[in-house]
Amino acid sequence: MTDSLADLESKNKQLVMIGGKGGVGKTTCATAIAVYFARLGRKTLVLSSDPTPSLSDIFELEIGDRQTPIMAVEGLYGIEISSDVVLNMWRERFGPEIYEVISSFANVDYDFVDYIGTAPGIEEEYMLSYIMGLVESKEFDLVVWDTAPAGHTLRLLHLPQIFLKHLEAATKFYMNIYSYFEKLRETVKLQKGKRTLLEIISSWETLALKIVDFIRDQEKSEFIVVTIPEALGVKQTERIISDFDQYELIVNHMIINNVVKEADCPFHRARKAMQTEYIKILEDRYGDRMRLIQVPLAPLEIKGVERIEQISGVLFSK
Ligand SMILES: Nc1ncnc2c1ncn2[C@@H]1O[C@H](COP(=O)(O)OP(=O)(O)O)[C@@H](O)[C@H]1O
Ligand SMILES: [Mg+2]
């Protein structure tokens, strides 16, 4: 008997994140999960941050960067969010604050904020805080996040740590300059900031920590890994999970997609034999710590609500 995601039904998770290598079926699974919960009567948002989003293709509907009701399923909404949009939101949210900080001790143009916005990690960090904002707004019972392919996702999860280190270094750096200018205040007539530098920086720090806490919180968040029974799929999955272990993020479910179930020709028999080996590797390695859910390779691509619901049926079988 294969496992399923059915145990999630009784839990009131607020955020389900879907991760894995590109092309393994993340968007398909994210959508199938979102449709399933929407059908249960939970108002659900499926959000894609993949640079090549395909929610629009799956639902055959223009979705884009605004919450769009997916008419075919009551209570289901979709959004495809690009890095440009996120960066703009970041600018609106933090721009004035950053300007306030910097201009309190240096004579800079507002353009400087844009420059800071290009710092590595800001975009991902803000993506996380944006999604957390969505979750906390309680506008939806559940947010299903179709994350960008593996590399990205991992970077994203490392980020709060990197970001914090960066802030620490930056704080020290700013504090040195700041105290230096503070001493000179009388002579050079510096403007006085409204909030102190330390207050602002520590509020960023609080935000980053809040995000880490949230994605670690098993009551609220769930991370599901999607893979395929092939060498590359297995390798990347191992990398993802060992990274997660390092950051104390727990994975309870792994979806093994594109599994060949019936093999009635030499071609499919060969594929099936190959897949069986990789499935066994995954089962040996992870079977005792997470549920492994097999999803059969369908004869056709997964497009439209009807086919998505067939995948939901497999994922949540009881
Ligand atoms: N179980 C499956 N059977 C058949 N086709 C599938 C299955 N899962 C995904 N696909 C197809 O594979 C392609 C890639 O899936 P997608 O969910 O977009 O991957 P990702 O989001 O990981 O890049 C899509 O065309 C999708 O319809
Ligand atoms: Mg995708």
Side-chain angles (χ1 to χ4, degrees):
M1 217 214 76
T2 64
D3 270 321
S4 86
L5 294 175
D7 65 295
L8 289 181
E9 227 181 278
S10 60
K11 294 172 188 150
N12 265 319
K13 303 273 179 173
Q14 296 169 41
L15 176 66
V16 172
M17 295 168 274
I18 315 292
K21 184 169 101 68
V24 295
K26 284 185 306 298
T27 307
T28 304
C29 292
T31 308
I33 292 167
V35 168
Y36 187 79
F37 281 105
R39 291 282 193 222
L40 288 180
R42 298 193 204 169
K43 191 177 172 192
T44 303
L45 176 72
V46 54
L47 177 150
S48 180
S49 63
D50 194 325
T52 53
S54 47
L55 286 182
S56 297
D57 296 330
I58 291 186
F59 289 109
E60 295 166 311
L61 184 79
E62 201 46 61
I63 292 184
D65 60 24
R66 253 152 241 264
Q67 288 163 28
T68 307
I70 295 168
M71 293 305 183
V73 184
E74 202 188 325
L76 181 65
Y77 296 77
I79 188 168
E80 292 173 328
I81 206 95
S82 72
S83 47
D84 282 356
V85 172
V86 169
L87 216 52
N88 260 330
M89 290 188 294
W90 177 87
R91 212 172 273 132
E92 274 166 30
R93 163 79 169 73
F94 290 108
E97 207 166 85
I98 290 173
Y99 185 68
E100 186 186 320
V101 172
I102 314 272
S103 63
S104 70
F105 61 84
N107 187 12
V108 290
D109 286 339
Y110 198 81
D111 289 351
F112 193 71
V113 170
D114 290 335
Y115 172 73
I116 293 188
T118 62
I122 296 248
E123 181 195 315
E124 289 89 340
E125 179 66 27
Y126 194 62
M127 181 75 83
L128 275 171
S129 83
Y130 164 73
I131 289 170
M132 247 193 62
L134 266 177
V135 171
E136 288 191 326
S137 76
K138 298 272 154 85
E139 195 185 331
F140 299 94
D141 299 316
L142 173 68
V143 175
V144 179
W145 179 16
D146 170 27
T147 70
H152 261 255
T153 313
L154 292 188
R155 213 169 106 213
L156 220 132
L157 291 164
H158 292 178
L159 259 155
Q161 327 274 332
I162 298 170
F163 194 68
L164 278 183
K165 285 228 171 68
H166 172 82
L167 280 185
E168 240 174 64
T171 312
K172 283 187 191 126
F173 173 75
Y174 288 139
M175 287 318 288
N176 281 338
I177 300 182
Y178 194 67
S179 61
Y180 175 74
F181 278 114
E182 280 278 87
K183 279 184 210 131
L184 292 181
R185 181 181 287 285
E186 293 313 303
T187 28
V188 291
K189 291 259 180 305
L190 279 159
Q191 312 139 262
K192 208 168 174 68
K194 287 170 217 85
R195 271 214 282 170
T196 74
L197 185 62
L198 206 60
E199 274 166 356
I200 290 174
I201 288 178
S202 85
S203 78
W204 292 349
E205 211 168 314
T206 310
L207 181 67
L209 280 174
K210 211 173 99 181
I211 293 171
V212 181
D213 280 350
F214 189 89
I215 56 175
R216 266 200 197 129
D217 187 342
Q218 290 273 301
E219 295 279 306
K220 297 175 182 153
S221 304
E222 186 76 28
F223 202 100
I224 299 172
V225 175
V226 184
T227 189
I228 47 172
E230 287 175 22
L232 265 182
V234 171
K235 253 209 193 99
Q236 291 233 12
T237 303
E238 283 170 348
R239 211 169 306 144
I240 293 176
I241 293 175
S242 82
D243 254 79
F244 272 45
D245 288 345
Q246 199 184 330
Y247 288 94
E248 295 163 47
L249 291 158
I250 296 167
V251 179
N252 298 309
H253 305 86
M254 178 191 298
I255 298 173
I256 308 176
N257 192 23
N258 289 353
V259 177
V260 174
K261 286 290 179 191
E262 280 149 51
D264 51 10
C265 66
F267 176 83
H268 280 110
R269 273 194 289 278
R271 274 209 92 74
K272 193 175 173 188
M274 175 203 72
Q275 290 194 343
T276 305
E277 272 182 47
Y278 290 112
I279 292 172
K280 186 166 185 322
I281 294 175
L282 290 170
E283 273 168 353
D284 288 348
R285 213 154 287 173
Y286 303 109
D288 54 353
R289 53 184 280 203
M290 62 184 78
R291 294 170 204 266
L292 306 186
I293 303 133
Q294 295 186 24
V295 176
L297 177 67
L300 297 170
E301 60 185 340
I302 314 299
K303 246 183 172 184
V305 176
E306 202 176 305
R307 287 189 204 152
I308 293 167
E309 290 206 277
Q310 282 168 6
I311 304 281
S312 313
V314 175
L315 290 176
F316 290 90
S317 69
K318 284 176 194 148

